[in-house]
Amino acid sequence: MNRRALTITRGKYSQVENRAALEKELASRGLTVFSWSDEPGTTYAPHQHGHDEIIVVVSGAIQFVIEGQDYHLEQGDELVLPRGTVHSAWVPGSVSVQYLICS
């Protein structure tokens, strides 16, 4: 993956009919796709990755903090995290979140 800028695209994949179609679309972009889920209240301490990462929310919601700013992601939203971006995350509310982690 080429070096990218931090971006959030709201509803980018809201029209994709199901998870399999979404995974196929992301893989067609040359991405490796991992399915992940977290229960309500799950938290991730500040950390960074040595690679670019794309998060696509399949269902539920997840909150990220990046450079002191909150980003609330919901179904269909895409977050592009450039390598080395320090971020933390948690699952707000009472519903689990399912998302795809792509690199």
Side-chain angles (χ1 to χ4, degrees):
M1 187 179 329
N2 295 329
R3 179 76 173 151
R4 298 176 184 258
L6 172 70
T7 59
I8 294 179
T9 307
R10 304 278 180 207
K12 182 172 183 173
Y13 297 102
S14 60
Q15 301 302 315
V16 178
E17 60 190 67
N18 60 50
R19 179 191 300 241
L22 179 55
E23 289 181 18
K24 184 177 179 180
E25 182 173 332
L26 293 165
S28 75
R29 293 172 47 193
L31 298 168
T32 301
V33 180
F34 297 95
S35 182
W36 199 261
S37 64
D38 288 314
E39 295 300 316
T42 299
T43 61
Y44 293 95
H47 64 284
Q48 60 185 311
H49 304 282
H51 57 273
D52 291 345
E53 190 169 85
I54 296 173
I55 305 292
V56 178
V57 179
V58 176
S59 65
I62 188 167
Q63 189 91 11
F64 283 83
V65 176
I66 304 164
E67 298 178 357
Q69 187 164 351
D70 290 333
Y71 297 94
H72 183 82
L73 302 175
E74 298 179 342
Q75 182 178 351
D77 291 349
E78 176 187 80
L79 168 64
V80 176
L81 283 171
R83 72 178 137 84
T85 302
V86 176
H87 59 285
S88 60
W90 77 92
V91 181
S94 61
V95 177
S96 62
V97 63
Q98 296 182 11
Y99 53 102
L100 303 174
I101 302 170
C102 311
S103 57

